[in-house]
Amino acid sequence: SAVISQKPSRDICQRGTSLTIQCQVDSQVTMMFWYRQQPGQSLTLIATANQGSEATYESGFVIDKFPISRPNLTFSTLTVSNMSPEDSSIYLCSVVARGNYGYTFGSGTRLTVV
Amino acid sequence: AQSVSQHNHHVILSEAASLELGCNYSYGGTVNLFWYVQYPGQHLQLLLKYFSGDPLVKGIKGFEAEFIKSKFSFNLRKPSVQWSDTAEYFCAVNENYGQNFVFGPGTRLSVLP
């Protein structure tokens, strides 16, 4: 399966600032997704990162708050903009590799907004 | 829309007890089914998955799950739990090889030594 490197692993940020999270995969993947896991809760899909075009956002998530880039088949970034304490969560990158319907998750970025 | 429910929010067992965690989904078509585990402070790991074939699926660390289509269920089992199985367990469903899947709310398992 694909190996995902997600950075940073954790960060503590001031409210009103922005943080960009990187997801690097060791092979070309068909699909890349960004999930959020709020404290004590399950995972919620934020968006599908589309290569070379705008991401597809789920209900409740907007591009201005969570801009996403995917310049190629192995790399994507998620930015959490104008952060507030409510954005404190674990953010996870997930991929589906070519010809494989298995899903692999990155180790996550634990974000705390103070 | 697809939804996934897990029967228990928190399960507490003693070591060597048998485990069964319930998972039900709502979609009536073709589904792929997964169980993930999240150990304290760690990231999600795939325990097992079902795409087709034998409805009894063997996973890592002695876990297995049975897909019962008529009951829309995919329950996770382990005959004898260990303290190291203490973790959060998430059931997830992907419909028709779609782009993403829906996670259940999770079940926290605490195994007492």
Side-chain angles (χ1 to χ4, degrees):
Chain A
S1 60
V3 176
I4 301 174
S5 173
Q6 191 172 332
K7 293 189 289 187
S9 59
R10 59 178 63 230
D11 207 342
I12 301 173
C13 300
Q14 297 288 328
R15 69 173 67 204
T17 64
S18 298
L19 176 71
T20 296
I21 303 167
Q22 298 181 1
C23 177
Q24 178 73 56
V25 192
D26 68 343
S27 58
Q28 292 187 342
V29 293
T30 310
M31 297 173 183
M32 297 181 77
F33 308 96
W34 287 98
Y35 283 84
R36 180 174 73 182
Q37 186 179 21
Q38 293 180 298
Q41 298 188 28
S42 186
L43 286 81
T44 302
L45 179 67
I46 298 172
T48 302
N50 300 310
Q51 193 248 331
S53 64
E54 192 172 287
T56 305
Y57 289 85
E58 297 300 305
S59 176
F61 298 95
V62 295
I63 188 171
D64 289 346
K65 176 67 176 178
F66 297 101
I68 288 170
S69 78
R70 190 181 172 190
N72 55 53
L73 292 175
T74 64
F75 184 78
S76 177
T77 67
L78 167 75
T79 299
V80 186
S81 302
N82 189 24
M83 289 183 283
S84 66
E86 292 71 35
D87 295 319
S88 297
S89 286
I90 298 173
Y91 292 85
L92 299 114
C93 170
S94 173
V95 304
V96 177
R98 286 184 181 277
N100 181 346
Y101 292 107
Y103 297 77
T104 303
F105 284 84
S107 54
T109 297
R110 184 180 295 271
L111 170 63
T112 302
V113 183
V114 297
Chain B
Q2 175 74 265
S3 67
V4 179
S5 62
Q6 292 182 235
H7 300 177
N8 307 98
H9 177 66
H10 190 188
V11 173
I12 303 173
L13 295 173
S14 299
E15 277 196 313
S18 64
L19 169 72
E20 181 161 2
L21 301 182
C23 171
N24 286 89
Y25 62 93
S26 62
Y27 185 66
T30 302
V31 292
N32 303 315
L33 300 155
F34 307 79
W35 275 97
Y36 283 87
V37 61
Q38 188 172 33
Y39 297 103
Q42 296 189 28
H43 62 276
L44 282 171
Q45 299 175 42
L46 180 65
L47 268 180
L48 48 80
K49 59 187 178 185
Y50 171 81
F51 288 142
S52 64
D54 189 343
L56 185 61
V57 180
K58 302 285 188 185
I60 62 172
K61 304 186 180 186
F63 286 91
E64 65 178 31
E66 184 175 13
F67 171 49
I68 303 179
K69 188 174 182 179
S70 61
K71 295 185 178 180
F72 299 90
S73 70
F74 190 57
N75 292 354
L76 181 71
R77 298 194 292 250
K78 185 171 183 179
S80 176
V81 295
Q82 301 172 312
W83 177 79
S84 58
D85 293 323
T86 294
E88 189 93 16
Y89 292 82
F90 294 95
C91 179
V93 178
N94 167 244
E95 54 184 290
N96 281 341
Y97 300 99
Q99 290 190 3
N100 68 81
F101 47 88
V102 177
F103 281 85
T107 296
R108 180 183 301 177
L109 173 64
S110 299
V111 180
L112 306 178

